[in-house]
Amino acid sequence: VAERLAAFEPLRCLSIYEFSEATRQLSLVARARPGHPSDGTITRTRCPPDAAAAFELWCAQPALLPRAVLVSQLPAIALRLESDAPDTLYGSLRSPHGIIGAFALEPRRGSHFDEATRTLLARLRDPFSTALENNHRLRTLGEQAKHAEQEKEGLLAKLGR
């Protein structure tokens, strides 16, 4: 997606975050820089209760916010999202099944997103929310498959095979 966006807009980096309400953990699940392969690394940050509550409230709103607004209105969230470029735009994500997160769109250095581009980028909230939920499901299935394989190996060892 980042490659296609960069062909039309001054995009330097696209980041997708998932928030776990149960563990109050914010995870960077995807980062794409046009022209650079993604390394697939997931980074996790634990949020204190006030930041977690602010994040959950923010995710209920479909706003696309510039960094300065996010920092002034929701500093607890801004501290945990990794981009500090002043023209970065942040959007909240909420899937139909309750998976919440955020996306960050960082423009190339010296560039910014004009109003028409911001309107277009705001429309990415629903597709990104769906992609976040799909990613969550795939990771969950992978974890379940790994657990089932470990259980199977344990049972085979008990049977002496």
Side-chain angles (χ1 to χ4, degrees):
V1 172
E3 292 287 342
R4 294 188 186 265
L5 285 173
F8 301 101
E9 304 302 336
L11 184 68
R12 178 174 178 262
C13 183
L14 165 64
S15 301
I16 306 286
Y17 298 86
E18 180 180 344
F19 182 73
S20 168
E21 294 170 277
T23 62
R24 293 194 325 253
Q25 232 175 24
L26 183 65
S27 302
L28 173 66
V29 295
R31 173 167 282 154
R33 290 183 170 91
H36 298 88
S38 177
D39 64 4
T41 303
I42 295 176
T43 60
R44 292 177 172 85
T45 304
R46 187 168 298 282
C47 298
D50 62 326
F55 196 86
E56 291 174 34
L57 287 173
W58 179 59
C59 286
Q61 304 169 23
L64 187 65
L65 301 175
R67 175 133 184 100
V69 173
L70 190 68
V71 167
S72 68
Q73 294 180 0
L74 301 162
I77 295 170
L79 283 172
R80 285 154 182 84
L81 300 175
E82 296 179 11
S83 176
D84 59 356
D87 292 317
T88 299
L89 295 176
Y90 296 93
S92 62
L93 300 173
R94 181 176 293 275
S95 77
H97 295 98
I99 306 299
I100 63 173
F103 65 97
L105 298 156
E106 183 181 327
R108 286 185 220 121
R109 294 191 201 313
S111 298
H112 67 281
F113 299 114
D114 61 26
E115 195 57 41
T117 301
R118 287 179 187 201
T119 301
L120 177 68
L121 293 174
R123 293 183 187 156
L124 293 173
R125 184 177 192 248
D126 288 340
F128 283 168
S129 293
T130 300
L132 180 65
E133 183 169 327
N134 289 343
N135 181 319
H136 177 82
R137 286 182 180 177
L138 286 173
R139 278 196 335 259
T140 301
L141 286 172
E143 290 168 6
Q144 289 173 344
K146 184 179 175 181
H147 179 70
E149 183 63 31
Q150 290 171 342
E151 191 173 316
K152 178 183 132 188
E153 288 174 12
L155 291 172
L156 288 173
K158 285 181 181 180
L159 291 172
R161 295 184 188 182

